[in-house]
């Protein structure tokens, strides 16, 4: 990439922006506050698109966590509770996040903190040339202006527990709660990262490893480069290269504080230098762009092209993706739970059949085991009949008399020296069949009728109520964004 090509691309981008401003509703100021708020002429006044997105995310989140008050009604059980009862892995059916996470990465004095202040609409971070931020600061909307330290931050953001266990990290986790409701800020959590520098500065924890860990839990990563020669520090380039290996689709690059380089040639030289150094480390080089941005209120020159509105457009686009992905995930999780319930019911039916078979076979083996002692008693009685008076069997039924007579004849045919062997064989046979009965007569635990009924109710809710709710929310979202129109 050479300087004439970059200048040509910059001029084309500026011409497109000017045409867009003339043909569509004008942007109010640079972004009319934070997150690219446009004038009222370009979108319907009610319902607010932002409010609709927030409402959709809030309602889907409620479907996952369920109502606070416990109830036996299947309609009041959240997806997380049902999934837990079905023993699905913890990675399945997680409650969706109602806010996206946007992480800002860059060397110190690259304007990360200033951007966070501008985006949140409040002064939540210190700014200056000194290395102000050596830890992670999460900036999100709260009910009151408040600062939370390490342990409180981990309690508010449970996903940070793993990061907080790393040596030295917990003490450098902070949360800034702001009450601003400007534009999309209620739907965003900004994450300001430690300023990256080379030299002898020692961080209290492994800063590169921690940034890479945080990147896996973010939806968008903004990489800021400043034009003062610090953008190309080796640590920043290493982090960018590592981020590209796993999270390249989340990365967006910007040249900050562009208003400090008034001369266009000097500015293009800076862009060219940064582009050449980043080229070997960026995964998707063909789509690489480095728009210039700066905070309008602090601008030293307003003649430099400011693409700050594009940053907020990226954030707005990420929010849209989050809403769509959340609704799609809701349907996927409902189908997963329904399929799992079908599998559970099938397994329950198989268990009941196996239990019935085990009961029948166990009873048969038990009867056989009891038959051997009965035969032994009769045998011993028959062998001893010569020592006792003959009993009158005329009172017994004829069939029983026949059986007893036959058994007596069999017993008489056994030689006297084999009597002990017969006794031992009878005892061993009885013991074997008794053990077989005990082994075969083993029941697998099964659900009772009430539990089966509840599973069927959950399945009905997943296939009807939940999916209908998802369709309704999707319609509400599309009506707020695309308008109430049919694309047939």
């Amino acid at each position: 990439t050479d300087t004439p090509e970059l200048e040509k691309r910059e001029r084309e981008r500026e011409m497109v922006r000017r045409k867009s401003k003339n043909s569509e509703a004008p942007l109010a100021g640079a972004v009319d506050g934070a997150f690219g708020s446009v004038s009222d002429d370009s979108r319907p006044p009610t319902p607010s698109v932002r409010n609709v997105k927030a409402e959709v995310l809030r309602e889907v989140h409620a479907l996952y966590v369920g109502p606070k008050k416990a109830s036996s009604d299947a309609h009041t059980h959240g997806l997380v509770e049902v999934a837990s009862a079905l023993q699905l892995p913890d990675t399945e059916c997680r409650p969706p996040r109602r806010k996206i996470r946007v992480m800002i990465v860059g060397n110190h004095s690259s304007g990360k903190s200033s951007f966070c202040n501008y985006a949140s609409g409040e002064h939540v971070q210190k700014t200056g040339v000194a290395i102000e931020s050596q830890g992670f600061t999460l900036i999100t909307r709260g009910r009151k202006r408040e600062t939370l330290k390490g342990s409180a931050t981990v309690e508010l953001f449970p996903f940070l527990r793993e990061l907080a266990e790393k040596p030295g990290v917990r003490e450098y986790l902070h949360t800034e709660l702001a009450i601003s409701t400007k534009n999309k800020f209620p739907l965003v959590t900004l994450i300001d990262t430690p300023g990256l520098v080379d030299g002898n500065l020692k961080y209290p924890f492994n800063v590169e490893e921690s940034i890479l860990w945080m990147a896996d839990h973010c939806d968008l990563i903004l990489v800021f480069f400043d034009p003062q020669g610090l953008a190309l520090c080796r640590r920043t380039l290493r982090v960018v290269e590592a981020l590209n290996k796993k999270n390249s689709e989340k990365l967006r690059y910007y040249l900050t504080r562009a208003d400090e380089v008034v001369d266009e040639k000097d500015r293009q030289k800076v862009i060219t230098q940064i582009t050449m150094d980043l080229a070997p480390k960026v995964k998707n080089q063909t789509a690489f762009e480095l728009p210039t941005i700066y905070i309008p209120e602090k601008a030293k020159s307003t003649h430099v092209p400011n693409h700050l509105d594009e940053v907020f457009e990226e954030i707005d686009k990420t929010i849209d993706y989050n809403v769509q992905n959340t609704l799609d995930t809701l349907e996927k999780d409902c189908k997963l739970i329904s399929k799992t319930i079908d599998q559970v019911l099938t397994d329950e039916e198989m268990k009941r059949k196996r239990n019935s078979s085990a009961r029948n076979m166990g009873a048969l083996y038990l009867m056989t085991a009891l038959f051997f002692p009965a035969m032994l008693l009769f045998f011993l009685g028959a062998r001893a009949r010569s020592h006792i008076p003959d009993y009158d069997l005329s009172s017994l039924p004829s069939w029983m008399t026949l059986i007893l007579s036959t058994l007596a004849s069999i017993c008489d045919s056994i030689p006297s020296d084999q009597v002990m062997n017969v006794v031992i064989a009878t005892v061993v046979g009885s013991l074997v069949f008794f053990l077989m009965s005990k082994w075969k007569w083993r029941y697998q635990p099964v659900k009772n009728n009430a539990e089966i009924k509840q599973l069927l109710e959950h399945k009905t809710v997943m296939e009807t109520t939940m999916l209908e709710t998802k369709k309704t929310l999707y319609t509400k979202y599309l009506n707020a964004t695309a308008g109430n129109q049919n694309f047939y």
Side-chain angles (χ1 to χ4, degrees), residues 32-227:
D32 190 22
F35 294 91
S37 173
V38 298
S39 64
D40 293 339
D41 296 334
S42 62
R43 55 175 65 171
T46 56
S48 169
V49 177
R50 184 198 72 191
N51 293 339
V52 170
K53 294 176 184 178
E55 183 179 351
V56 169
L57 293 173
R58 182 171 58 252
E59 291 188 26
V60 174
H61 186 271
L63 293 177
Y64 275 82
V65 299
K68 295 182 179 180
K69 183 179 291 187
S71 173
S72 60
D73 187 359
H75 292 72
T76 61
H77 292 274
L79 270 71
V80 175
E81 182 180 355
V82 177
S84 177
L86 294 172
Q87 297 182 347
L88 287 174
D90 294 338
T91 55
E92 303 288 350
C93 295
R94 288 181 174 179
R97 289 185 283 110
R98 288 182 286 180
K99 299 182 180 182
I100 66 168
R101 299 178 188 141
V102 180
M103 183 171 71
I104 302 96
V105 179
N107 56 280
H108 83 90
S109 300
S110 61
K112 300 189 308 299
S113 298
S114 297
F115 175 81
C116 291
N117 292 338
Y118 182 75
S120 63
E122 296 187 26
H123 188 80
V124 294
Q125 288 286 79
K126 293 181 180 179
T127 60
V129 295
I131 304 177
E132 297 291 352
S133 55
Q134 292 190 5
F136 292 91
T137 302
L138 290 86
I139 305 162
T140 189
R141 185 175 182 271
R143 295 182 179 179
K144 58 178 292 188
R145 181 72 181 89
E146 191 70 61
T147 299
L148 306 179
K149 293 185 178 180
S151 297
T153 295
V154 174
E155 289 298 321
L156 183 61
F157 298 98
F159 81 96
L160 291 174
R161 287 197 177 99
E162 181 182 346
L163 180 63
E165 295 300 322
K166 298 181 183 295
V169 175
R170 182 180 292 267
E171 293 76 13
Y172 288 88
L173 292 175
H174 299 87
T175 299
E176 296 292 342
L177 299 177
I179 60 175
S180 172
T181 59
K182 279 190 175 182
N183 302 286
K184 302 298 188 300
F185 180 65
L187 299 177
V188 178
T189 295
L190 299 171
I191 303 177
D192 191 5
T193 60
L196 301 175
V197 295
D198 291 331
N200 298 324
L201 176 66
K202 292 185 178 180
Y203 292 88
F205 54 89
N206 190 325
V207 64
E208 296 179 32
E209 177 184 322
S210 300
I211 289 177
L212 296 179
W213 184 96
M214 189 72 78
D216 293 336
H217 298 78
C218 292
D219 302 287
L220 184 64
I221 304 172
L222 308 179
V223 183
F224 285 179
F225 298 99
D226 74 280

Side-chain angles (χ1 to χ4, degrees), residues 12 57 71 76 105 109 193 210 260 269 295 318 320 392 437-438 471:
E12 290 176 352
L57 293 173
S71 173
T76 61
V105 179
S109 300
T193 60
S210 300
E260 297 180 7
K269 288 181 180 179
I295 304 302
T318 305
D320 287 332
D392 184 12
S437 171
K438 188 174 182 181
K471 184 177 181 181

Side-chain angles (χ1 to χ4, degrees), residues 278-292:
L278 283 178
K281 300 172 174 57
V282 175
K283 195 170 185 179
N284 188 8
Q285 298 181 20
T286 57
F288 177 79
E289 293 183 350
L290 192 66
T292 55

Side-chain angles (χ1 to χ4, degrees), residues 307-449:
H307 302 285
L308 187 60
D309 56 319
E310 295 182 11
V311 182
F312 299 111
E313 287 172 5
E314 286 289 343
I315 294 177
D316 198 20
K317 187 188 300 181
T318 305
I319 294 173
D320 287 332
Y321 290 160
N322 183 43
V323 174
Q324 297 169 35
N325 292 336
T326 298
L327 291 170
D328 293 340
T329 303
L330 172 62
E331 180 176 359
K332 179 180 70 71
D333 289 342
C334 287
K335 290 181 178 180
L336 174 62
I337 291 177
S338 180
K339 182 179 179 181
T340 305
I341 291 176
D342 286 336
Q343 185 62 46
V344 169
L345 294 176
T346 301
D347 293 344
E348 286 295 315
E349 185 178 356
M350 295 298 296
K351 286 180 182 179
R352 289 174 184 268
K353 289 182 179 180
R354 285 195 292 266
N355 287 346
S356 177
S357 176
R359 181 173 59 251
N360 295 336
M361 293 300 297
L364 178 61
Y365 287 140
L366 180 60
M367 291 177 62
T368 305
L370 295 176
F371 174 76
F372 280 96
M375 286 297 298
L376 179 61
L377 291 175
F378 183 83
F379 172 74
L380 294 176
R383 299 293 298 184
R385 72 181 186 279
S386 59
H387 304 288
I388 59 176
D390 292 337
Y391 288 99
D392 184 12
L393 302 178
S394 59
S395 60
L396 297 176
S398 57
W399 63 270
M400 186 175 292
T401 302
L402 178 61
I403 293 175
L404 293 176
S405 301
T406 303
L407 292 175
S409 300
I410 295 174
C411 292
D412 290 338
S413 64
I414 299 176
S416 299
D417 58 345
Q418 297 296 324
V419 171
M420 185 56 64
N421 293 336
V422 171
V423 172
I424 294 175
T426 303
V427 172
V428 172
S430 176
L431 181 61
V432 168
F433 276 95
F434 179 78
L435 293 177
M436 290 178 64
S437 171
K438 188 174 182 181
W439 175 80
K440 194 67 177 179
W441 213 333
R442 291 183 302 173
Y443 286 156
Q444 292 183 335
V446 295
K447 300 183 182 297
N448 56 41
N449 293 335

